[in-house]
Amino acid sequence: MKSQLLQLAFEIELQDGEKLTIPNSIIEGIGKGKWLITIQPKSKTGDRAHDAFLTSYSPEDEGLYDDY
């Protein structure tokens, strides 16, 4: 069986004066082919809105969750 890494994600937090370093093992693992490398700031509110379920019920369930 052949295996291949499809996606690798890390969450990091840098303090004042720190610089981002990427381990050599990751750099060496990048070989021939097309790659997409993305660096973006993490949202301050988190990845998910926790109130999404309460506002996403179907029209026939209208009023069932109003007590919550």
Side-chain angles (χ1 to χ4, degrees), residues 18-34:
E18 286 184 305
K19 293 185 178 183
L20 174 66
T21 58
I22 300 173
N24 283 336
S25 60
I26 293 174
I27 294 170
E28 291 170 4
I30 298 175
K32 181 180 176 181
K34 294 182 178 183

Side-chain angles (χ1 to χ4, degrees), residues 3-62:
S3 64
Q4 177 182 5
L5 179 64
L6 297 178
Q7 184 174 1
L8 177 64
F10 286 97
E11 182 177 317
I12 62 166
E13 183 176 346
L14 295 175
Q15 302 298 323
D16 286 334
E18 286 184 305
K19 293 185 178 183
L20 174 66
T21 58
I22 300 173
N24 283 336
S25 60
I26 293 174
I27 294 170
E28 291 170 4
I30 298 175
K32 181 180 176 181
K34 294 182 178 183
W35 294 86
L36 173 64
I37 299 171
T38 304
I39 298 175
Q40 65 187 39
K42 182 176 188 226
S43 80
K44 293 181 180 181
T45 59
D47 296 335
R48 299 179 180 175
H50 294 286
D51 61 346
F53 172 75
L54 295 178
T55 59
S56 65
Y57 47 82
S58 61
E60 57 269 12
D61 291 338
E62 184 70 37

